Amino acid sequence: MSIDLQTLKCGECGSSALRRTGLNEYTCAHCGSMSLVEDDVSDRLERVLQQVKHHAGQQIAAEQALRQKQMLRTVGFVVIGFLGVAVAVQVAMLLFGSGKRSDTPSVARAIVERTIATDGLKLSEPRQVLVGERPKLLVLARNETGRPLERPGLKVVFHDGDTRLNERSESLPIDVLMPGESAPVLVDLPSGQNVTRQDVTVEKLSEPRSAAEGPRLAFSRVRLVQQGERVRLVGRLVHAGAPAFGSIEALVTLYDDAGQVIGVGRGHAPGSELAPGARTAIDVDLSRFGRGAAITAWDYRIGYRTVTPSGARTTVLSADRVIRTTGAPEAFHPDLRLGTEDLLADDSERFDPRQLELLPLVAGRSTIQRPLFMTELVNRSTDAIAIAPGAVISRFGGSTADGTTRLDALASLYPGERFPVLLEPKAVDRITQTRVEWKPMRRAALPGPRKPLEVQVTGTQAGTGSVLLNFSQRFTYKSVEVTGTVKNPGTAIAAKVRLWVSLRDRNDQLTGFKLIENLPAIAPGESVPFQVHVTQHGRDFASVATLYQTE
C-alpha cells in the first residue's frame, strides 16, 4: 500500500478512511491494506489527519446550528400566529361581547388576563398565636382586586433582629377567594427560634383557569359542637340539581365577641364526586387559638366544581357564599364519641334517650376485695332499636365527684336487651349516685341491621380462684365456667361476633359478666363453641344471660 500525502487517500482503493494502528503504521478501513512510513512522514500524516477530523467536526456543527435556527424560526411563527388569534378573539369580545362571563374561559383570558397585581390582596398585621401547643403566625388576607383569585399564596421571611432565620410559603385554605372575601392564613413559626419580626409578601396572583358563575352551596343541616378544647363543624349537603359536583370543600372561621378570628378549619366531602340526588356530609376539625375568648359567632363557605360526564371540571364562582351565624357552639362532654351521622340525624331518625334506663347499682367486690358496682343498660322501647348508644356516666360518692365511665361498646341495643356495665370507684369507697349524659343517637325499626344468631348455654361449673397481691396477700374469689354454642341460622356470614355472658342471682340482679371477643366468623348453618370463666362479684349466681353483637 502507498499513501497519497497530498490528498491523504489510500493508494490501493482511494479511500480516505485511514487510521493509525501502530508505530509508523497505517491501515485502510476500506480495503484493509497496510503501509509503513518513516518518522517524519508519520508526523506529517498525523497533522493532516487531525486537520481532516477538525474540518469534519466544523461541518457537522454548522449543519446542527442551521437546523436549530430553522426550528426556532418555525416556533416563532407559530407563537406569533397564536398570539394574533388570541388578540383577535379579545378584540372581538370587547366589540361584540355582552359583558357576561362565559362558562368556558376564552383563550385570551387564559393567556393574557390570568395574572393580577399583588397589591390587590390586602393583608392584616401578622400576630403570633398558639394552636394547641404549636406557635403559628396568623394573617388575614382580603381580596380587593375585584376578580376571583385561585389559591393565593403568601411568603413569610422570619427574622431575629437583623438575623434572617427562615422562610416559609403558605396558601390560603380555600381554592378560590372571591372578590370582597377575607380568609385567615396560619403559618408555622420556626421551631425553637426567637422571632422578633417577619416580612409577609403576596406571591403571584391569578384567576382560575376554568371557571363559571353558579349558585352558592349551603348545608341543609349544620351543627357547631365543642368538646373541651376540640371544636368541630358538621354539615350535610344535599345535591338536588345537575350536573355532578366535585372537589367540595368547606372553610370555617370562628370569632370572639370583639370580632377577632379565634379559630379556622378546612374540610372536604368524602369521595371525588357528588351525584345529582345524592347527599354527603363534611366534618371539619377547627384549629382553635385565643383560649381565653369564648366563641360568639362563626361562618362557613363552600367551594366546589361541576363535573361533566367526560370528567372535565369547572370551578364555580358564587357571590355572597359566606354564611354567618351568631351564637356559641353546642357543648358536649369531652369523653363522648360523637359520630357525624349521629349529629346530623333528623328528628324522625333520632332515638329518644328517655327510653334507655340504667338499672339501680348492685354492690360487689373485686378479686382483691375492693368495692365495685354493677348495673345494666336497658332499652325500654317496644319497637325502636338504639343505634350505637353511648353515654358518659359521672360517679359520685356523696358530694365528691369520682370521675366518669364511658359507655360506647355497643353497635345497637334492641328492645328489652340488657347491656352489663361495671363502675369502679377511684377516690371514694362507695358510689351513691350517678349522672348520665347521653350522646345524640339514631334509631332503626325492627328487624334492624344485626344478623340473627342463636346463643345456647350448654353448661355451668362453679369454682374458686385466688390472686396474690404484692407477694404478700392472697385473696380468694368465686367464678363460674360457662360453656355453650353460637349458631348462625341465617344466609349470610356473621363476622366480628362479640358475646357478653352475664351471671344473675335469684333476684335477677347482675353479679358478674365477661366479654368474649375472639369468636371466629360463622358461616350460614354453622355453629362455634365458646368457653369462658366469669368472675362472680356479688351474690351466688342462679342464671346465665347472653347478649351478642355482629357487623
Side-chain angles (χ1 to χ4, degrees):
M1 166 186 169
S2 63
I3 299 176
D4 186 342
L5 300 181
Q6 300 299 322
T7 60
L8 199 65
K9 293 182 180 180
C10 175
E12 301 294 333
C13 67
S15 172
S16 60
L18 301 177
R19 61 188 180 90
R20 189 173 184 174
T21 57
L23 182 63
N24 300 344
E25 180 182 291
Y26 291 85
T27 302
C28 176
H30 182 259
C31 67
S33 60
M34 183 178 64
S35 203
L36 295 175
V37 298
E38 297 179 356
D39 290 344
D40 57 342
V41 176
S42 176
D43 293 339
R44 287 165 54 198
L45 284 175
E46 284 300 309
R47 288 195 297 269
V48 173
L49 285 173
Q50 292 298 327
Q51 290 174 359
V52 171
K53 292 179 181 179
H54 180 68
H55 179 68
Q58 285 181 329
Q59 285 184 329
I60 294 173
E63 291 174 0
Q64 290 179 344
L66 180 60
R67 285 196 296 269
Q68 290 178 353
K69 185 176 181 180
Q70 291 175 344
M71 184 181 298
L72 290 174
R73 184 179 301 170
T74 302
V75 172
F77 286 147
V78 172
V79 171
I80 292 173
F82 187 67
L83 289 176
V85 172
V87 172
V89 171
Q90 183 68 14
V91 171
M93 289 180 60
L94 293 175
L95 292 176
F96 304 107
S98 61
K100 183 178 179 180
R101 183 183 299 273
S102 172
D103 288 350
T104 304
S106 66
V107 175
R109 175 178 296 277
I111 295 177
V112 178
E113 292 188 359
R114 289 192 69 239
T115 301
I116 302 171
T118 58
D119 58 359
L121 187 66
K122 305 299 183 183
L123 305 179
S124 69
E125 188 67 26
R127 63 186 177 100
Q128 295 185 13
V129 297
L130 278 175
V131 179
E133 299 299 326
R134 298 180 60 185
K136 292 180 178 287
L137 190 72
L138 172 67
V139 181
L140 296 180
R142 180 175 178 81
N143 181 5
E144 297 184 2
T145 65
R147 295 154 68 180
L149 301 178
E150 182 180 46
R151 185 66 71 173
L154 306 180
K155 183 174 75 172
V156 185
V157 179
F158 298 99
H159 301 269
D160 180 4
D162 296 331
T163 304
R164 187 180 187 277
L165 298 176
N166 204 344
E167 176 183 311
R168 297 187 189 276
S169 294
E170 189 70 44
S171 298
L172 269 67
I174 192 74
D175 278 345
V176 175
L177 190 66
M178 292 295 292
E181 285 186 354
S182 297
V185 184
L186 289 172
V187 184
D188 288 332
L189 286 167
S191 178
Q193 295 178 306
N194 181 43
V195 176
T196 60
R197 177 173 58 88
Q198 56 275 322
D199 298 328
V200 185
T201 55
V202 178
E203 296 185 324
K204 183 180 179 181
L205 300 179
S206 62
E207 285 196 79
R209 292 181 179 275
S210 177
E213 292 181 355
R216 76 174 184 180
L217 284 188
F219 291 121
S220 61
R221 186 174 180 85
V222 63
R223 300 177 76 172
L224 185 72
V225 299
Q226 182 170 0
Q227 295 179 272
E229 293 296 320
R230 186 190 183 193
V231 182
R232 297 162 58 199
L233 179 136
V234 293
R236 178 192 295 156
L237 278 175
V238 179
H239 184 8
F245 292 159
S247 305
I248 304 173
E249 61 175 354
L251 176 65
V252 186
T253 311
L254 308 177
Y255 305 90
D256 62 13
D257 56 1
Q260 293 286 332
V261 175
I262 57 173
V264 63
R266 180 189 184 207
H268 295 82
S272 60
E273 293 185 18
L274 181 63
R279 74 180 193 176
T280 188
I282 299 180
D283 195 329
V284 184
D285 258 308
L286 289 109
S287 298
R288 174 77 187 278
F289 40 91
R291 296 176 181 172
I295 301 169
T296 61
W298 46 278
D299 64 38
Y300 73 87
R301 74 199 76 172
I302 301 175
Y304 66 105
R305 294 186 174 101
T306 57
V307 184
T308 64
S310 64
R313 299 194 172 215
T314 301
T315 300
V316 178
L317 307 177
S318 306
D320 301 323
R321 61 177 178 167
V322 179
I323 300 174
R324 189 178 178 95
T325 300
T326 301
E330 301 176 69
F332 291 92
H333 196 283
D335 290 340
L336 283 176
R337 294 183 177 178
L338 304 179
T340 304
E341 293 302 323
D342 293 330
L343 289 168
L344 295 179
D346 294 328
D347 292 341
S348 60
E349 302 172 319
R350 294 192 179 281
F351 186 88
D352 186 357
R354 292 174 297 183
Q355 294 182 318
L356 293 177
E357 180 186 0
L358 206 63
L359 297 182
L361 299 182
V362 178
R365 292 283 174 176
S366 69
T367 56
I368 57 174
Q369 297 303 304
R370 290 179 179 172
L372 55 76
F373 294 83
M374 295 166 289
T375 183
E376 291 178 285
L377 176 65
V378 185
N379 181 358
R380 296 299 189 190
S381 172
T382 59
D383 59 356
I385 305 165
I387 301 299
V392 170
I393 305 172
S394 299
R395 308 183 302 266
F396 295 87
S399 60
T400 303
D402 188 58
T404 60
T405 299
R406 188 169 64 192
L407 193 160
D408 58 5
L410 282 167
S412 58
L413 190 65
Y414 278 62
E417 288 186 333
R418 296 160 64 172
F419 174 69
V421 181
L422 180 67
L423 304 177
E424 294 188 82
K426 301 299 181 183
V428 297
D429 294 330
R430 189 180 179 207
I431 298 175
T432 58
Q433 62 173 324
T434 58
R435 295 177 188 171
V436 183
E437 181 180 345
W438 300 103
K439 59 170 273 193
M441 289 170 284
R442 291 169 290 146
R443 57 175 288 162
L446 295 170
R450 191 176 68 184
K451 294 181 177 65
L453 296 178
E454 294 177 358
V455 182
Q456 183 178 6
V457 175
T458 59
T460 58
Q461 179 66 48
T464 59
S466 65
V467 60
L468 184 64
L469 178 65
N470 296 332
F471 302 99
S472 59
Q473 286 183 288
R474 183 173 294 276
F475 297 93
T476 301
Y477 61 90
K478 294 181 179 181
S479 66
V480 179
E481 181 183 85
V482 181
T483 56
T485 59
V486 181
K487 182 178 180 180
N488 180 6
T491 58
I493 295 174
K496 296 183 179 180
V497 180
R498 292 184 297 165
L499 180 67
W500 284 267
V501 179
S502 299
L503 305 178
R504 295 203 178 103
D505 62 18
R506 65 182 61 186
N507 295 325
D508 201 32
Q509 288 188 328
L510 189 65
T511 188
F513 66 91
K514 186 73 173 288
L515 168 63
I516 306 174
E517 294 187 279
N518 58 351
L519 289 173
I522 308 174
E526 295 184 352
S527 63
V528 296
F530 68 86
Q531 180 178 0
V532 61
H533 282 82
V534 184
T535 301
Q536 185 173 283
H537 299 293
R539 290 182 292 188
D540 290 343
F541 88 102
S543 63
V544 178
T546 60
L547 173 69
Y548 72 88
Q549 297 279 285
T550 64
E551 294 184 15

